[in-house]
Amino acid sequence: MQVKDNTFLITGAASGLGAATAERLVAAGGRVVLCDLSDAVEAHAERLGEAARAIRGDVTSGADIQAAVDAAVELSEGRGFAGVVHCAGVVSVAKLVDREGNPADLDAYNRTIQINLVGTFNVMRLAAAAMAKNDAGDDGERGVIINTASIAAFDGQVGQCAYSASKAGVVSMSLPAARELSRHGVRVMAIAPGVFETPMMSEIPDEAAQALAAAVPFPKRLGKPDEFARLAEQIINNAMLNGEVIRLDGGIRMQ
């Protein structure tokens, strides 16, 4: 599969990893539908020009994501949309028992699971159903799904029970989904980023961010969103990448 002349749906596309991926795919000659809850998604689509469309949407809503999928099919002008890069998600931190001895909030845990894990499943099921209708290309390929996991799926830290569990679920879905969708010619991959320069990272103190950057073996810095986008582009282009999770972390292993 090639990016050029193909159409892709990108969730979480208003900023960070999703926004960078949209920029890279448009630069490579692709078309993109940007889906995000933020108002900023519309401005980003305008900056990208005629090759981009914006859809305000919640990844946990079947109706919202179906509308985004329909927009991608329409933008493809009869070719069928070729792939989805699912970047939408939230970070949550909460100890099971806080300093005052209070238990963690169950609603907050459920919210993280709903957005990061159920939202991923929602995007996959609707995108796959649409891509399965595409005409088969080389090797019988009809589409590709790229999900965003996290190194927290493997190296979760204190306070990350909800986040780690949600991202571990994304990891665990990759292989069975790839096996199931192989009959439709749809590949499924996941990227597990380490510490990256995203709006989520800006929420932590500078001192903590610097400590995380120093913990990366090489290069000793935070990852750049375009490095995530470049890997997504490589996955799109390489049909043998399927059913796997790729750590993109500079070799860091969290303690």
Side-chain angles (χ1 to χ4, degrees):
M1 179 179 295
Q2 300 298 314
V3 172
K4 184 175 174 57
D5 297 326
N6 274 320
T7 302
F8 300 87
L9 170 61
I10 303 172
T11 68
S15 62
L17 305 180
T21 301
E23 292 172 6
R24 175 158 285 276
L25 297 188
V26 168
R31 301 176 183 181
V32 293
V33 169
L34 313 185
C35 181
D36 202 297
L37 275 174
S38 171
D39 293 337
V41 71
E42 294 167 356
H44 190 44
E46 289 180 5
R47 286 193 296 270
L48 293 177
E50 290 298 318
R53 299 287 186 276
I55 293 286
R56 293 283 302 282
D58 179 349
V59 295
T60 66
S61 165
D64 285 2
I65 297 305
Q66 187 62 63
V69 168
D70 291 344
V73 172
E74 181 181 356
L75 186 60
S76 74
E77 297 181 344
R79 292 172 58 107
F81 91 103
V84 57
V85 184
H86 176 53
C87 299
V90 294
V91 171
S92 62
V93 178
K95 292 184 178 180
L96 288 173
V97 181
D98 67 18
R99 292 180 179 178
E100 286 72 42
N102 300 309
D105 181 65
L106 186 59
D107 289 339
Y109 181 91
N110 281 332
R111 177 177 179 271
T112 302
I113 297 297
Q114 282 293 315
I115 294 172
N116 290 355
L117 182 55
V118 178
T120 298
F121 181 83
N122 187 40
V123 171
M124 281 203 301
R125 72 184 183 97
L126 296 173
M131 288 188 286
K133 299 173 184 176
N134 292 343
D135 293 334
D138 294 344
D139 293 327
E141 187 171 14
R142 290 185 172 89
V144 58
I145 296 170
I146 303 172
N147 292 320
T148 304
S150 168
I151 60 170
F154 313 101
D155 308 335
Q157 296 181 291
V158 171
Q160 287 191 325
C161 277
Y163 185 67
S164 294
S166 68
K167 293 301 186 177
V170 174
V171 168
S172 296
M173 287 194 296
S174 299
L175 183 58
R179 285 172 167 167
E180 176 187 341
L181 296 178
S182 64
R183 64 190 292 264
H184 300 293
V186 176
R187 294 184 287 125
V188 181
M189 286 287 295
I191 300 172
V195 286
F196 270 66
E197 294 175 355
T198 66
M200 289 182 181
M201 184 59 65
S202 67
E203 296 176 6
I204 72 172
D206 288 342
E207 184 177 344
Q210 291 172 6
L212 285 172
V216 180
F218 186 83
K220 282 196 171 298
R221 59 170 172 78
L222 302 180
K224 300 182 185 301
D226 185 62
E227 291 170 325
F228 176 96
R230 296 207 314 260
L231 179 54
E233 184 180 17
Q234 286 288 327
I235 291 171
I236 291 167
N237 291 336
N238 192 333
M240 280 301 288
L241 288 172
N242 191 22
E244 185 57 270
V245 181
I246 301 176
R247 291 184 65 133
L248 186 66
D249 59 16
I252 193 172
R253 296 296 181 268
M254 306 297 284
Q255 299 295 320

